Amino acid sequence: MPTDPATDSAPLPILLLNGPNLNTLGVREPDIYGTDTLADVVDLAERTAAELGFGLRAAQTNHEGEMIDWIHEARGAVCGIVINPAGWTHTSVALADALLIPEVPIMEVHLSNVHKREAFRQHSYISPNASGIIVGYGIRGYEFAIRRLAELVG
Ligand code: DHK
């Protein structure tokens, strides 16, 4: 398990990133994305990470450059990344490139089953470099992703 050089014992935290529009979870198209909020996602992720002995850093943004800056800063600072890239999944070469920079396992999460939806949602620029992809489990997908990440880095 990669450890924090500052303490030489505690594992590096997991980084949870959520992309555009996910700040509106709970009110946005609840028939597709459910009624849980982003705060519920972060709470579930924090509890799951803590159970497995990891800290968690969580952030959401609607600004692609900000997301890319956070991913650059993650190099050497986190043991893995769980990301729901939301709409950027299907559009962003820049985000896909950025996710190679930290050189840690990446778990890609989508609340909805993107493969049951519009054709444009069925291509992901992120998936070819993801260690795992979880789609269609609602917010439980984040829990599964953290559990898998812990296995991969543990
Ligand atoms: C979230 C979004 O905002 C969409 O743009 C993706 C994803 C699907 C989700 O299911 O979590 O297409």
Side-chain angles (χ1 to χ4, degrees):
M1 179 182 297
T3 52
D4 184 343
T7 63
D8 202 27
S9 59
L12 288 172
I14 291 169
L15 181 61
L16 170 64
L17 294 173
N18 279 289
N21 305 308
L22 293 172
N23 54 311
T24 68
L25 269 185
V27 294
R28 169 196 185 203
E29 298 180 273
D31 47 320
I32 295 175
Y33 298 108
T35 53
D36 293 306
T37 65
L38 183 60
D40 295 327
V41 168
V42 173
D43 180 59
L44 174 62
E46 276 173 351
R47 283 188 284 114
T48 306
E51 176 199 320
L52 298 166
F54 289 85
L56 185 97
R57 293 187 197 164
Q60 184 277 334
T61 183
N62 297 321
H63 304 278
E64 190 174 352
E66 185 171 44
M67 175 71 87
I68 288 171
D69 287 344
W70 290 341
I71 293 167
H72 293 179
E73 290 159 13
R75 188 181 162 90
V78 305
C79 66
I81 299 175
V82 174
I83 184 167
N84 184 342
W88 296 326
T89 307
H90 320 295
T91 62
S92 183
V93 173
L95 181 60
D97 286 346
L99 284 165
L100 296 173
I101 291 169
E103 297 186 272
V104 293
I106 306 293
M107 291 296 299
E108 178 182 349
V109 175
H110 299 287
L111 293 145
S112 65
N113 179 357
V114 285
H115 300 292
K116 216 168 83 174
R117 300 181 62 193
E118 302 97 322
F120 68 83
R121 294 188 201 275
Q122 292 171 29
H123 174 262
S124 167
Y125 283 101
I126 311 305
S127 296
N129 294 310
S131 296
I133 306 155
I134 298 175
V135 305
Y137 284 89
I139 76 167
R140 290 175 66 212
Y142 291 91
E143 176 188 342
F144 300 152
I146 288 170
R147 291 191 185 282
R148 179 62 181 145
L149 200 55
E151 278 178 11
L152 290 171
V153 304

